[in-house]
Amino acid sequence: SLTLLASLAGDVGLAQRTMPTKLIMDTDMTTDVDDVVALCVAHKLQDNGDAEIVGVMHNTGLEQGVGVVSVINHFYGRDNIPIGAFKGDFNNPKGSMDRWVLDYSAGPYVFPLIKEFDAPIKSSITVPEAVEVYRKVLAEQPDHSVVIASLGFLGNLAKLLESGPDDHSILGGKDLVALKVRELVVTGGRYPNSNLMHYEWNFGGGCVWGSPSCPHTPRWTKTVVDGWPDTVPITFSGFELGAGVLTGGRMEQCAPEWNPCRRALELYKKADQNCPPRPSWDSITTLYAVNGVERWGERHQGGYNLINGTDGANEWVDGPPTHQSYLALHFGKADALGNEIDELLCTDPAFAV
């Protein structure tokens, strides 16, 4: 039943907790620094035996974003993780006439990290398209074993659902997801609705702040949320959840200067004078994707996420149980959750290069 399915998703499959969670990260590691923090958290969860990162996808057209992914993977000694990239004009400053894209598509940490730290990959030019990597990685995994943490825009996942059979699998994208994915966890939306902010950035952004609507992102969001197989749980982590949990403030004391996670947070001060610390949108999504929610929150079950395909606005419609839910923080747990994330960030890599 859907109720049982949702319950098992919330417990991250109790029968499977003895095995590391097979994790795919899909990140817009371009503008905000919380994506860097989230990937560092994922690597530490793998160090601890809780996760196995089987792929990292980048979901904007900024070619150097993949270079930052490679810097983090290299720092943790995992150059072998497959990387896929969004290929297209979306948020790609190369040849763009859009002033916002030219000025803000790359956060202040992107180019310095690529310059200051070693990594085998510098640009998306040298990696396959994300959909190809998705299909290859998923086809190689056991059935119903992969958790996808979506930390940015949903273009890669929309293309995956729309993809056809290829050399990696005879299945179309939606059927491949239904067979291989255990859960999708999405940083996106605001709950119970996005009225206070019109639309949340990952669901409807990607252009000038405050625009009535942006190209691409609302359609991608609606395609994924409405088209996701109803046998596979999809859990949303909203803006309101991560905004109140601040992390990274201890890194200047606990991590060496040659730690790219610390360096990225320091560089992001150019965009946010209060950083570090920084809100923990993506690291909470990552932590839930691997370890579940029982220590610090709960999943709001019953109903579905209604997406406006024109602007990306969202509203939770309460009702009978479905495969959809959203995360909520228990009262008084923000500091404890932040400390849990900071402890992971402050622990040295197990296999640093």
Side-chain angles (χ1 to χ4, degrees), residues 218-280:
R219 177 180 61 82
W220 290 339
T221 301
K222 191 165 184 63
T223 295
V224 173
V225 174
D226 292 0
W228 197 253
D230 60 11
T231 56
V232 181
I234 176 171
T235 304
F236 302 96
S237 180
F239 174 87
E240 74 289 347
L241 179 58
V245 179
L246 302 179
T247 52
R250 290 165 50 189
M251 291 207 76
E252 290 184 356
Q253 289 75 44
C254 72
E257 293 181 358
W258 45 267
N259 183 314
C261 312
R262 168 184 166 174
R263 181 67 176 136
L265 283 162
E266 292 172 346
L267 288 163
Y268 200 74
K269 191 178 290 287
K270 293 181 180 178
D272 175 6
Q273 288 299 312
N274 296 317
C275 179
R278 183 72 183 150
S280 307

Side-chain angles (χ1 to χ4, degrees), residues 122-136:
K122 302 294 185 183
S123 165
S124 62
I125 295 173
T126 58
V127 303
E129 189 168 1
V131 174
E132 179 184 344
V133 179
Y134 257 127
R135 292 186 58 84
K136 182 177 188 299

Side-chain angles (χ1 to χ4, degrees), residues 291-311:
N291 284 340
V293 74
E294 56 266 25
R295 289 195 298 274
W296 49 266
E298 62 185 10
R299 293 166 58 252
H300 179 95
Q301 301 177 46
Y304 65 95
N305 210 354
L306 180 64
I307 306 298
N308 184 322
T310 300
D311 59 13

Side-chain angles (χ1 to χ4, degrees), residues 16 22 137-147 169 171 175-183 232:
Q16 303 179 44
K22 290 182 175 289
V137 169
L138 288 176
E140 293 171 346
Q141 305 307 317
D143 295 351
H144 313 297
S145 68
V146 177
V147 177
S169 174
L171 299 176
D175 289 336
L176 183 61
V177 166
L179 181 63
K180 298 295 183 178
V181 177
R182 193 175 86 209
E183 184 175 5
V232 181

Side-chain angles (χ1 to χ4, degrees), residues 180-199:
K180 298 295 183 178
V181 177
R182 193 175 86 209
E183 184 175 5
L184 170 64
V185 192
V186 178
T187 302
R190 186 166 183 161
Y191 303 92
N193 60 64
S194 63
N195 292 348
L196 288 176
M197 57 196 320
H198 186 190
Y199 54 79

